[in-house]
Each structure stands twice: as C-alpha cells, then as structure tokens.
C-alpha cells in the first residue's frame, strides 16, 4: 500500500447497515510530534441514518483497537476510543447469532449518537486483524518518545 492511499481499518457491513473507519493518511507528515498521528473518518450508514465524522487516531488508538478486536472475537462487548478525544464507538452483541450493535457517540463535538445493528460475516475478526496490519504497514510508527515530551525519529 502506498503512503498516498486510504485503508479501511474497520468495515462492518451487511446489506443494510455499515460502520467504516477509513484511515486517510498522516496528520502532519514530517512534524516530529504529530507524524505518527493518522487522519481518519468514521462513516455510518443505515436505512435510517447516514453520517460522517473526522477523527485523528493516535498510535495508542491502534493498540487499543487490537485489544477491542480480541474482546469482540471472544464474544464480549467492548468500547473503542473512550478517552473523550474522539467519538466513542461501543460494540455490543445483540443476542442474535452473528449480529452486533455498534453505537457511535460524538458527545465532545456534535453531541449526537447513532445505534445500528449489523450482521457480521464469517471470518470478520481475522479480516479486521489483517486490516489493522495493513494500516500499520502503510503508516508505520517512525517516532519514539525518549522521555516525557522528548521525541526523536526511529533509527
């Protein structure tokens, strides 16, 4: 994947509803303190609602997404980006086989939320681990924090 393209970190979709988190690129390439931050968008579509939110993903958001994937794959509910910096995304199992409900809440900016069920395809967890791998391969971490507030390029 070339640095200039986009990669869908999350794509949960059935014929009627979808949640996509699309990574668009680095927030400020070449600026040491912001180089590893990624611009992204959350896109939600259902028969009732359509919405799009811009977000900025920190390196720790990708680590957190990896942990959330593990929770979801094990059949447990999970929350991603619940630090107040970005819209929060909650994933809840509906009780119906293979159906999850995602809730996107943007309390910091628009003060709106949407709750949408989606039937997950077989193999969705492995597919999303591969998506995470593609994001990390396209935009590897190139900055290291050597001490609090001190950064340098990885060698």
């Amino acid at each position: 994947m070339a640095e200039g393209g986009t990669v869908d970190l999350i794509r949960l979709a059935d014929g009627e509803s979808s949640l996509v988190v699309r990574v668009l690129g680095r927030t400020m390439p070449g600026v040491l303190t912001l180089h590893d931050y990624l611009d992204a968008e959350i896109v939600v579509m259902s028969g009732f609602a359509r919405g799009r939110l811009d977000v900025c993903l920190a390196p720790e958001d990708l680590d957190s997404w990896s942990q959330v994937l593990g929770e979801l794959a094990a059949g447990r509910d999970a929350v991603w980006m619940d630090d107040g910096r970005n819209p929060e995304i909650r994933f809840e199992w509906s009780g119906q086989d293979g159906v999850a409900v995602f809730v996107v809440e943007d309390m910091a900016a628009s003060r709106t939320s949407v709750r949408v069920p989606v039937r997950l395809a077989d193999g969705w967890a492995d597919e999303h681990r591969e998506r995470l791998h593609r994001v990390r391969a396209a935009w590897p971490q190139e900055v290291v924090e050597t001490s609090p507030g001190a950064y340098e390029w990885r060698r």
Side-chain angles (χ1 to χ4, degrees):
M1 155 103 241
E3 175 94 16
T6 65
V7 177
D8 289 349
L9 175 64
I10 301 173
R11 178 173 284 282
L12 299 174
D14 57 22
E16 301 185 19
S17 302
S18 66
L19 166 68
V20 176
V21 176
R22 181 169 296 126
V23 179
L24 306 172
R26 293 193 187 276
T27 296
M28 296 187 78
V31 176
L32 192 61
T33 55
L34 296 173
H35 181 79
D36 286 344
Y37 285 71
L38 300 174
D39 287 333
E41 63 184 0
I42 300 171
V43 180
V44 176
M45 288 193 225
S46 75
F48 178 73
R50 295 183 191 280
R52 183 186 162 284
L53 294 166
D54 292 323
V55 296
C56 179
L57 300 178
E60 56 268 17
D61 292 328
L62 298 181
D63 296 337
S64 174
W65 174 238
S66 179
Q67 293 172 347
V68 166
L69 270 175
E71 292 295 309
L72 294 171
R76 294 185 290 271
D77 296 349
V79 179
W80 186 48
M81 296 193 303
D82 58 347
D83 59 5
R85 187 175 43 81
N86 281 317
E88 176 181 287
I89 303 177
R90 283 193 320 272
F91 300 90
E92 305 165 352
W93 290 103
S94 70
Q96 298 177 23
D97 190 36
V99 176
V101 175
F102 62 83
V103 181
V104 179
E105 286 188 329
D106 182 31
M107 291 300 122
S110 68
R111 305 193 64 68
T112 60
S113 66
V114 63
R115 179 181 184 87
V116 179
V118 65
R119 181 167 297 284
L120 301 178
D122 291 338
W124 70 269
D126 290 335
E127 175 189 333
H128 279 79
R129 286 184 189 100
E130 177 58 30
R131 289 179 181 281
L132 176 58
H133 174 74
R134 284 194 302 256
V135 167
R136 287 182 164 159
W139 298 285
Q141 282 189 261
E142 297 177 334
V143 175
V144 63
E145 187 172 13
T146 56
S147 62
Y151 301 89
E152 66 182 41
W153 296 104
R154 286 190 194 274
R155 296 172 205 242

